[in-house]
Amino acid sequence: MEHKHHYTGLTDAQVIESRKKHGENILTPPEKDPWWKEFLEKFTDPIIVILLIALLLSIGVSCYEFFSGHGGASVFFEPAGILIAVLLATVVGFLFEQSANKKFEVLNQVNDDTLIKVIRNGNVCQITKKEVVVGDIVILETGEEVPADGELLETVSLLINESTLTGEPVCKKTIIEVDFNKNATYPSNQAMKGTTVVDGHGIMKVLKVGDSSEYGKVYEGAQIDNSVETPLNKQLDGLADLITKASYGIAALIIVGSLIWYFIDLAVPFEWIPFGSYLLGKIMIAVTLIVVAVPEGLPMSVTLSLALSMKRMLSTNNLVRKMHACETMGATTVICTDKTGTLTQNQMKVYELRLNHDFDKIFKMDKITENNLDNPGNLNKILVQELIAANSTAYLDYSNPNKIKALGNPTEGALLLWLHENGINYLPLREEAEIVEQLTFSTERKYMATIVNSPLLGKKVLYVKGAPEIVLTLCKNIPVKKSEIEKQLLEYQNKAMRTLGFAYSIIEDDADYIKDGKLIFNSQFSILNFLGIVAISDPVRLEVPEAVKNCLAAGINVKIVTGDTPGTAKEIGRQIGLWERNEDESHHLTGTEFAAMSDEELLNRILSLKILSRARPMDKQRLVQLLQQKDQVVSVTGDGTNDAPALNAAQVGLSMGDGTSVAKEASDITILDNSFSSISRAVMWGRSLYQNIQRFILFQMTINVAACLIVLIGAFLGTESPLTVTQMLWVNLIMDTFAALALASLPPNEKVMKEKPRKTSDFIISKKMWHSILGVGIFFVLILFGLVQYFKHADITTLQDFDVVDFFKNYFNFGHGNGLSPYELSLFFTIFVMLQFWNMFNAKAFMTGKSAFANISKCGGFLAIAAVILVGQWLIVTVGGEMFNVTPLAWSDWGLIIGVTFLVLFVPEWYKLFSRRRR
């Protein structure tokens, strides 16, 4: 101990008083809305709001028609259908999010009942973490989690893993002021709640508990509702606004136009009662058009697309908790990533080992081919094995053969893992090498020494490991030039690696070599032999450089935000391809510099910033919010408590599967396999999902344009719509829902990663989509209008009697004609549906430049749903009867309809083929 005292701790009365004054050592959980409130929030979606308005209007019209005697109970089919559409869209999304949250709660269980040692009433006793109060004297031991914030009273070789708060895996703690690290994020004489003791031990007086601790402040910051609107919500708001204005505008046009025609044709004196009846009828038509204009299937399609992606992303190790995150990942323009545990493995590993007999080469532990200790290679192999195994206080946890964990000092654990990777079990070596005497590592000595009875050498051996510069000063026999060693050490240190030096001495007598906590220098010890050096690092995850490359190629800026040192952060940035050796230093800031700058100054530098080192939790949150002010869509990745506020502030927060509970609680997506490559896959899923939503909007808006124009033309010509309410419900609700499923089931397209992120200001319907919607919609209307005109003036019982000349002759014949027979209405309805059916294939190929049949074998879900739509249409026409106002069609007519409407798909396919050949 650096200082020794006798502590009595708090009395029982003082514990009660402290708890009353400072509170309990628990974190106040975030207030969660009741399930019914979460469900009601689903009704705030802009398209759902339009549907609710349409529902009210539809109920009004239906009630008028029913109670005025103009219709039977069937008039309520339309409001019932809209209500079903609303409930399906809201219930499906709600249930999927609830399911994801249940999975998350299992993943994120926290245990506050862990026992820790405290001194109370002059005795050492055990209490649970949540019972700790301000003023308690806590005993900290290796492997334990620090239960609260406190001031250290005593330390012995105390090393604490602060990666959950700062990103630094090992921080030296001491009470000696001259040894304080002035650049440390938290004072060297303080231990923080949620951090872990990795080596040594100490005694601490608790200063802050629960919400008042640094951990608690970060936890509280993670719960602040940032209310950042997602890109898709913004774009759907825009679409809802457009639909509202367009439908109300056309409805007003119908009423105004009808009034003009009424007064032009008025041949008798004006009377209010006939005029009122006429006006009410036209208002009903206008309301019908508003209802038709609303894409009832759109909320359901978006929800289904998000829900399906949610499920499929889980199979790629992305547990999505909040449905919007599926798509928002595709709009991401900046990824702010933590270093430790996200870019790196958060597992110290041996990078290189160099021994004195062959220093210019990296040492490899192969088998000892001969039992000849005069061979330097064989001797060094034996010495290295025994030194690492016996001269250590760390252990390996073999309980999970697929993931061996190091327990204790992470640097010593890395050496044991290196032995394991070379097929050597350290335990037999340690157990067979009887320890005669041991001097554990201390931050003052900066080395560890152990004397063992070596069964491998048959003699006593003194092993020493520690800071290379210290070990070198202890050695008299150094077979390698010091300049070579120092050069190699500098190279490792420039790569932000930790280094250790190894030395040994074979002992021939029984003299004391360790006494009073230090090595005794005598004639024998003066020939301590230098054995070699080892470089240890927290290696970058293997998949990270490629994943970062993919993100950069996709136009996404990656920024490292870490509590680690500038040197380490830059080296990791270099290894993942983000930082060049001659990089402009303006692309890097430390947390201190960042905090000192005003928002205006930072806004000018924020986009070019690549690395923010020594960052505190609220620095990360501020960075995210400043980036959002620059219209950036920000995703934040992290596994530590220090990442939580930024995870919550970002449009998408991505926590790691083995991250802290606070980080996971603040996130939208949990990466179960802790792989950065899963993040780039999530971006690909998000972009592909957005394209699928656009394809569905293209498909459905084409239907709505055609339906609206048919109603509009009918209103001006004074004719009834050839499509009944139930038929429109089939097209707008059931068929569109299936189409949404079909388009949502399309596999993600890797080519989207070669495109730049879309702008949040972009309208969801692009110019190319507008051209297709209006062009195809008007084309469909021209065909369908011609059919209505033709059927009115011809008595069609089979399409085999269809006369093209009569079709064009009657196109502008606005006489009343014979009306439409049930068979003709069935033909019209089926042709309308089949035009949309083949247009669904065009929507599938939209924005790909490829044939609709490209990779069709991989689109089994799409083809299956297309078949369901086709069979569904046949069933409705065949057995729908009076409910759908249809009558069965002849098989020959089915063949003609399918064959002729196939031109909707064939012509674009032929055009694409011709265009490719011309190139």
Side-chain angles (χ1 to χ4, degrees):
M1 293 273 177
E2 289 162 346
H3 297 283
K4 295 200 175 197
H5 300 279
H6 175 69
Y7 303 102
T8 58
L10 300 177
T11 64
D12 291 341
Q14 288 172 326
V15 168
I16 295 170
E17 181 64 27
S18 178
R19 189 171 288 125
K20 283 182 181 178
K21 185 176 181 181
H22 302 287
E24 292 187 294
N25 190 32
I26 57 174
L27 300 177
T28 305
E31 288 187 16
K32 291 188 176 181
D33 292 329
W35 66 266
W36 57 266
K37 192 171 183 181
E38 291 179 359
F39 177 64
L40 290 179
E41 284 178 1
K42 296 295 176 187
F43 291 87
T44 60
D45 180 278
I47 302 293
I48 294 290
V49 170
I50 291 182
L51 274 181
L52 291 173
I53 294 170
L55 175 62
L56 292 174
L57 292 174
S58 182
I59 290 172
V61 171
S62 299
C63 288
Y64 168 78
E65 291 183 347
F66 180 75
F67 292 110
S68 64
H70 290 97
S74 61
V75 296
F76 290 102
F77 282 146
E78 181 162 329
I82 297 173
L83 178 61
I84 291 169
V86 170
L87 291 176
L88 283 175
T90 51
V91 169
V92 169
F94 172 74
L95 291 178
F96 266 86
E97 287 193 353
Q98 289 296 307
S99 174
N101 282 332
K102 284 181 181 178
K103 292 186 181 78
F104 175 79
E105 285 168 7
V106 172
L107 181 72
N108 205 30
Q109 288 177 344
V110 182
N111 184 11
D112 283 324
D113 295 324
T114 306
L115 294 174
I116 54 107
K117 299 183 188 71
V118 297
I119 300 174
R120 286 183 179 176
N121 301 306
N123 298 311
V124 176
C125 59
Q126 284 189 317
I127 62 172
T128 61
K129 282 196 297 184
K130 63 185 179 184
E131 292 178 298
V132 172
V133 298
V134 171
D136 260 328
I137 305 299
V138 178
I139 299 172
L140 302 175
E141 295 182 345
T142 301
E144 294 182 343
E145 184 179 293
V146 180
D149 290 359
E151 180 185 3
L152 292 165
L153 305 176
E154 297 182 9
T155 61
V156 175
S157 306
L158 186 61
L159 298 176
I160 290 182
N161 181 349
E162 287 188 350
S163 60
T164 58
L165 278 176
T166 67
E168 287 194 77
V170 178
C171 295
K172 173 190 169 184
K173 294 296 180 178
T174 180
I175 61 172
I176 301 175
E177 191 169 346
V178 293
D179 293 333
F180 285 4
N181 181 355
K182 295 179 181 179
N183 296 319
T185 310
Y186 295 108
S188 296
N189 67 333
Q190 289 188 11
M192 318 308 291
K193 178 180 174 67
T195 60
T196 307
V197 179
V198 293
D199 199 14
H201 49 92
I203 294 178
M204 175 188 85
K205 182 178 180 180
V206 175
L207 300 178
K208 293 180 180 178
V209 295
D211 293 336
S212 299
S213 66
E214 284 295 307
Y215 194 92
K217 290 175 184 176
V218 174
Y219 185 67
E220 184 180 358
Q223 296 172 38
I224 297 170
D225 182 14
N226 63 324
S227 300
V228 178
E229 193 174 17
T230 67
L232 183 61
N233 279 345
K234 287 181 182 178
Q235 290 168 320
L236 289 178
D237 280 344
L239 180 60
D241 189 50
L242 172 70
I243 292 170
T244 302
K245 289 177 180 177
S247 59
Y248 285 117
I250 295 173
L253 191 62
I254 288 173
I255 295 171
V256 172
S258 299
L259 289 175
I260 292 171
W261 280 111
Y262 179 82
F263 286 108
I264 289 174
D265 291 340
L266 191 65
V268 295
F270 176 81
E271 293 184 14
W272 280 105
I273 293 177
F275 172 74
S277 177
Y278 174 85
L279 180 61
L280 187 59
K282 294 304 177 183
I283 290 173
M284 292 300 101
I285 292 173
V287 171
T288 301
L289 183 136
I290 291 172
V291 174
V292 169
V294 175
E296 289 95 335
L298 182 57
M300 186 63 182
S301 74
V302 172
T303 301
L304 282 173
S305 298
L306 292 172
L308 192 58
S309 294
M310 217 172 158
K311 185 176 180 180
R312 292 165 84 182
M313 285 174 72
L314 181 59
S315 66
T316 59
N317 295 305
N318 290 279
L319 174 58
V320 181
R321 294 181 59 217
K322 298 174 184 175
M323 198 176 283
H324 74 82
C326 296
E327 184 280 329
T328 307
M329 277 303 299
T332 296
T333 58
V334 178
I335 296 176
C336 295
T337 176
D338 182 36
K339 177 190 75 70
T340 307
T342 307
L343 298 177
T344 65
Q345 299 175 20
N346 199 15
Q347 174 77 72
M348 303 302 290
K349 288 191 175 181
V350 170
Y351 175 72
E352 282 181 7
L353 195 150
R354 295 176 183 267
L355 300 184
N356 56 27
H357 75 283
D358 211 355
F359 192 80
D360 60 336
K361 294 180 182 178
I362 299 170
F363 176 74
K364 293 183 179 180
M365 179 63 77
D366 49 14
K367 290 184 179 179
I368 301 174
T369 55
E370 54 179 310
N371 191 22
N372 179 9
L373 297 184
D374 293 329
N375 181 324
N378 284 343
L379 178 61
N380 286 341
K381 289 173 189 176
I382 291 172
L383 291 170
V384 164
Q385 290 181 40
E386 200 165 65
L387 184 150
I388 291 174
N391 191 32
S392 173
T393 57
Y395 293 87
L396 293 184
D397 179 3
Y398 291 102
S399 57
N400 181 358
N402 297 319
K403 192 174 182 182
I404 309 299
K405 287 185 179 180
L407 305 177
N409 185 293
T411 305
E412 291 187 336
L415 294 170
L416 297 181
L417 283 169
W418 179 81
L419 282 181
H420 173 76
E421 289 165 2
N422 283 278
I424 300 169
N425 190 332
Y426 78 98
L427 272 176
L429 291 170
R430 180 179 293 180
E431 291 167 355
E432 291 169 12
E434 179 191 353
I435 295 177
V436 177
E437 204 159 358
Q438 188 172 73
L439 195 62
T440 58
F441 180 87
S442 78
T443 52
E444 293 73 41
R445 286 189 300 271
K446 296 186 178 179
Y447 66 80
M448 176 179 181
T450 304
I451 299 174
V452 301
N453 284 318
S454 172
L456 299 176
L457 299 177
K459 298 178 181 179
K460 279 200 296 185
V461 183
L462 168 64
Y463 290 117
V464 178
K465 77 167 186 287
E469 65 276 14
I470 302 297
V471 173
L472 282 169
T473 60
L474 298 175
C475 294
K476 298 299 180 183
N477 181 18
I478 306 174
V480 188
K481 290 182 179 179
K482 264 194 176 183
S483 58
E484 286 185 39
I485 298 172
E486 289 167 353
K487 180 182 176 182
Q488 189 62 60
L489 287 171
L490 182 61
E491 183 182 324
Y492 291 144
Q493 288 157 5
N494 286 338
K495 293 180 179 179
M497 295 182 181
R498 295 179 190 174
T499 54
L500 287 175
F502 295 154
Y504 75 98
S505 180
I506 296 175
I507 299 173
E508 302 289 353
D509 56 33
D510 294 324
D512 289 333
Y513 294 95
I514 297 177
K515 191 174 182 180
D516 298 328
K518 61 182 178 179
L519 287 170
I520 303 298
F521 291 84
N522 55 34
S523 59
Q524 179 66 35
F525 183 68
S526 65
I527 57 169
L528 190 64
N529 305 291
F530 178 75
L531 181 57
I533 59 173
V534 63
I536 296 172
S537 66
D538 181 6
V540 167
R541 293 180 182 272
L542 296 177
E543 76 281 355
V544 167
E546 183 65 25
V548 170
K549 182 181 176 182
N550 290 340
C551 289
L552 294 174
I556 301 170
N557 290 320
V558 179
K559 302 181 188 295
I560 297 176
V561 188
T562 177
D564 222 324
T565 62
T568 301
K570 289 176 186 177
E571 176 55 26
I572 295 299
R574 187 192 65 78
Q575 290 181 31
I576 66 173
L578 192 64
W579 187 268
E580 302 293 335
R581 290 198 181 279
N582 57 350
E583 188 80 36
D584 188 342
E585 280 298 320
S586 66
H587 297 163
H588 165 258
L589 284 173
T590 64
T592 305
E593 293 167 340
F594 183 83
M597 296 174 72
S598 66
D599 286 356
E600 290 72 22
E601 290 174 310
L602 286 171
L603 285 170
N604 293 326
R605 288 186 61 177
I606 209 79
L607 293 180
S608 61
L609 185 69
K610 290 187 178 181
I611 295 175
L612 178 61
S613 62
R614 287 296 187 194
R616 288 203 176 196
M618 303 318 285
D619 293 337
K620 298 183 182 185
Q621 185 184 41
R622 184 186 177 203
L623 172 65
V624 170
Q625 291 168 338
L626 288 171
L627 285 166
Q628 289 168 343
Q629 287 182 38
K630 299 290 283 185
D631 293 324
Q632 301 296 299
V633 178
V634 186
S635 294
V636 171
T637 72
D639 66 339
T641 301
N642 56 322
D643 302 311
L647 286 167
N648 185 64
Q651 278 96 339
V652 181
L654 301 122
S655 61
M656 299 296 116
D658 59 3
T660 65
S661 58
V662 176
K664 286 185 282 189
E665 184 69 46
S667 66
D668 303 298
I669 299 175
T670 298
I671 309 297
L672 299 177
D673 62 353
N674 305 313
S675 171
F676 195 89
S677 62
S678 294
I679 297 167
S680 62
R681 283 199 300 272
V683 173
M684 181 184 70
W685 273 102
R687 291 188 178 186
S688 298
L689 171 61
Y690 182 74
Q691 280 194 351
N692 288 344
I693 292 173
Q694 280 188 309
R695 289 181 182 121
F696 177 77
I697 289 172
L698 172 77
F699 169 77
Q700 188 169 50
M701 291 301 288
T702 302
I703 294 177
N704 283 39
V705 165
C708 284
L709 289 177
I710 287 170
V711 173
L712 182 61
I713 292 169
F716 274 95
L717 296 180
T719 60
E720 293 295 324
S721 171
L723 294 171
T724 66
V725 170
T726 49
Q727 288 172 355
M728 282 305 298
L729 279 175
W730 160 250
V731 173
N732 264 9
L733 182 58
I734 309 301
M735 181 181 168
D736 285 358
T737 299
F738 280 124
L741 273 172
L743 293 170
S745 69
L746 294 175
N749 182 5
E750 292 185 6
K751 288 188 176 180
V752 296
M753 293 300 285
K754 296 180 180 177
E755 301 169 2
K756 300 299 179 186
R758 72 180 191 270
K759 295 179 181 177
T760 54
S761 57
D762 289 348
F763 191 52
I764 198 166
I765 302 178
S766 64
K767 284 185 179 179
K768 195 174 180 181
M769 289 173 68
W770 272 125
H771 293 156
S772 178
I773 290 168
L774 295 176
V776 175
I778 292 170
F779 173 69
F780 285 174
V781 169
L782 293 175
I783 292 173
L784 295 167
F785 176 74
L787 285 172
V788 171
Q789 291 293 86
Y790 177 68
F791 289 157
K792 278 168 57 179
H793 298 91
D795 188 13
I796 297 296
T797 58
T798 174
L799 282 178
Q800 293 178 20
D801 298 335
F802 189 86
D803 191 320
V804 177
V805 175
D806 282 350
F807 174 82
F808 286 106
K809 188 166 64 174
N810 288 303
Y811 201 91
F812 295 104
N813 184 354
F814 298 120
H816 291 290
N818 303 322
L820 273 63
S821 68
Y823 195 85
E824 288 169 336
L825 285 170
S826 299
L827 288 171
F828 182 89
F829 173 48
T830 304
I831 291 169
F832 179 78
V833 168
M834 291 311 300
L835 287 172
Q836 311 304 334
F837 176 80
W838 293 119
N839 194 44
M840 183 175 72
F841 285 80
N842 288 331
K844 171 187 176 293
F846 190 72
M847 295 183 288
T848 65
K850 292 182 178 181
S851 166
F853 300 102
N855 300 320
I856 198 73
S857 60
K858 297 180 181 178
C859 303
F862 180 88
L863 291 175
I865 295 168
V868 169
I869 293 173
L870 200 58
V871 171
Q873 180 64 22
W874 179 82
L875 285 172
I876 284 175
V877 173
T878 305
V879 300
E882 188 179 341
M883 180 179 177
F884 282 90
N885 196 25
V886 289
T887 188
L889 298 180
W891 282 108
S892 58
D893 286 346
W894 274 106
L896 282 169
I897 291 171
I898 292 172
V900 173
T901 56
F902 178 72
L903 291 171
V904 171
L905 176 59
F906 176 77
V907 172
E909 287 293 301
W910 177 84
Y911 175 77
K912 280 184 274 191
L913 179 64
F914 181 72
S915 300
R916 283 196 295 268
R917 285 184 175 178
R918 284 185 62 184
R919 289 194 223 112

